[in-house]
């Protein structure tokens, strides 16, 4: 049920980080591959070279792929899914417990046991089935069908499988942010594939500015079409949308990667894009998927009942090509007008 198929464009403003007049604003930039996409670090790290920071980042990348990747055949998660082991590590434990709490919050609309459905519809590196038997797959989906006992995972049925793509990238962003802080950074922005965690200020002494893309179907640009900009100084941010990882079936129906675990089908509604700002990127990541899977009406009702959520929704308007926007009260303070 991975949702972050969008890209959030970093607006690092038009300045050269390494040549700021104020030496306190001299930010290190580190970039490279991570989790099958790209990572970027902008931080006021002193006393370490870019290569040293890069090496530490790659250590996190290897650990995450070894633990929770569904694309690495030998990962711990894949071995659990194949019932070769029932042992878990600290990463799987954390993500399982976070996902379980959000599953309960959403009455099951968010669920990390959707892997059989995601694969049947042609996502997670698999080819779609011509006519997937949804009812047969739904019997293996549900967060109540799997639990943790000690350091073991216990399944009601061996065919239950886990997919942490809706939270693992955000969790890795948090690990990257922790690493940057351990390197001495007081101001930073870290990003993996469009999901971010920031603290402090950018080199101009302002809050970090992040652009949210316009969610038209097939938008594959790198931030050329922005709907809004958000400015904040601490926390994690993730955006979920169905406008990148989607396709049309033979009948012309849209099939998107966000799956409703209750129906077994794509979670499609007039809610096109969900942006969440939270204390951690893992929480923002999972909540973004949850709201998108709930659909427009239920997501809006939940936010109204829980105004503490920092959310920004982009919804399809009454006219084709037009959009409606909704921001929670707490998010309105973060949205920029320009």
């Amino acid at each position: 049920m991975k949702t972050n198929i969008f890209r959030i464009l970093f607006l690092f403003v038009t300045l050269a980080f390494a040549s700021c007049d104020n030496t306190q604003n001299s930010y290190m930039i580190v970039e490279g591959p991570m989790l099958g996409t790209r990572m970027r670090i902008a931080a006021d790290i002193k006393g370490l070279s870019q290569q040293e920071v890069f090496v530490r980042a790659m250590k996190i990348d290897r650990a995450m792929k070894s633990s929770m990747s569904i694309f690495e055949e030998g990962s711990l998660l894949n071995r659990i899914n194949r019932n070769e082991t029932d042992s878990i590590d600290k990463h799987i434990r954390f993500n399982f417990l976070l996902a379980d709490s959000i599953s309960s919050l959403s009455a099951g609309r968010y669920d990390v046991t959707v892997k059989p459905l995601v694969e049947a519809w042609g996502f997670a590196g698999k080819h779609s089935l011509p006519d997937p038997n949804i009812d047969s797959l739904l019997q293996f989906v549900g967060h109540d069908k799997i639990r943790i006992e000690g350091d073991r995972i216990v399944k009601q049925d061996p065919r239950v499988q886990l997919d942490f793509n809706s939270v693992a990238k955000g969790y890795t962003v948090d690990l990257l942010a922790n690493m940057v802080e351990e390197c001495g950074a007081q101001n930073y922005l870290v990003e993996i594939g469009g999901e971010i965690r920031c603290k402090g200020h950018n080199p101009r002494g302002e809050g970090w500015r992040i652009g949210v893309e316009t969610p038209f179907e097939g938008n594959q640009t790198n931030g050329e079409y922005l709907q809004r900009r958000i400015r904040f100084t601490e926390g994690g941010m993730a955006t979920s949308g169905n406008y990148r990882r989607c396709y049309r079936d033979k009948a012309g129906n849209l099939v998107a990667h966000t799956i409703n675990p209750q129906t077994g089908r794509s979670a499609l509604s007039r809610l096109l894009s969900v942006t969440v700002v939270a204390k951690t990127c893992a929480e923002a990541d999972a909540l973004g998927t949850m709201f998108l899977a709930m659909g427009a009406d239920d997501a809006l009702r939940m936010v109204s009942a829980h105004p503490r959520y920092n959310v920004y929704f982009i919804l399809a308007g009454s006219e084709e090509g037009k959009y409606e926007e909704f921001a929670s009260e707490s998010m309105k303070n973060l949205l920029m007008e320009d």
Side-chain angles (χ1 to χ4, degrees), residues 19-189:
S19 61
C20 296
D21 293 334
N22 187 341
T23 57
Q24 292 182 346
N25 285 340
S26 181
Y27 281 49
M28 174 187 293
I29 303 296
V30 178
E31 297 179 292
M34 183 169 279
L35 302 183
T37 181
R38 300 287 298 177
M39 70 91 180
R40 181 180 174 96
I41 298 169
D44 59 350
I45 297 173
K46 309 287 194 303
L48 291 173
S49 68
Q50 289 175 307
Q51 181 62 27
E52 288 172 316
V53 175
F54 178 79
V55 168
R56 296 187 187 194
M58 290 302 98
K59 183 178 179 180
I60 293 173
D61 179 57
R62 290 192 298 272
M64 292 302 96
K65 288 177 179 175
S66 176
S67 175
M68 294 186 293
S69 174
I70 61 171
F71 302 103
E72 299 284 333
E73 285 296 315
S75 73
L76 178 57
L77 184 61
N78 273 335
R79 288 188 284 125
I80 290 171
N81 285 337
R82 293 194 298 262
N83 301 302
E84 297 172 359
T85 183
D86 61 2
S87 297
I88 60 172
D89 62 11
K90 64 180 181 180
H91 307 300
I92 289 176
R93 174 187 295 278
F94 179 93
N95 284 271
F96 180 92
L97 294 176
L98 175 60
D100 191 59
S101 67
I102 294 178
S103 292
S104 299
L105 178 69
S106 67
R109 261 80 63 86
Y110 174 86
D111 202 305
V112 291
T113 64
V114 296
K115 187 172 187 289
L117 294 167
V118 171
E119 292 184 349
W121 288 112
F123 301 102
K126 303 295 182 179
H127 295 292
S128 62
L129 300 177
D131 187 19
N133 190 333
I134 300 303
D135 289 338
S136 68
L137 295 175
L138 281 172
Q139 64 183 312
F140 312 126
V141 174
H143 71 110
D144 58 337
K145 294 179 172 62
I146 191 167
R147 66 186 187 276
I148 288 177
E149 290 185 358
D151 293 325
R152 298 172 53 246
I153 203 91
V154 179
K155 303 178 182 181
Q156 285 187 6
D157 188 294
R159 288 167 290 186
V160 175
Q161 297 184 66
L162 292 166
D163 179 346
F164 289 123
N165 274 5
S166 60
V167 64
K169 192 191 295 182
Y171 174 74
T172 307
V173 168
D174 292 330
L175 294 184
L176 200 61
N178 292 340
M179 180 273 290
V180 167
E181 290 193 18
E182 290 171 359
C183 291
Q186 297 182 16
N187 301 279
Y188 62 81
L189 190 151

Side-chain angles (χ1 to χ4, degrees), residues 177-227:
N178 292 340
M179 180 273 290
V180 167
E181 290 193 18
E182 290 171 359
C183 291
Q186 297 182 16
N187 301 279
Y188 62 81
L189 190 151
V190 299
E191 177 253 354
I192 303 175
E195 299 183 11
I196 71 132
R197 177 89 175 260
C198 71
K199 183 177 180 181
H201 301 89
N202 66 22
R204 284 188 171 175
E206 303 169 340
W208 295 97
R209 298 192 301 166
I210 302 98
V212 180
E213 286 190 333
T214 304
F216 58 85
E217 184 181 335
N219 182 4
Q220 300 292 333
T221 65
N222 291 316
E224 293 178 23
Y225 300 93
L226 296 181
Q227 192 73 12

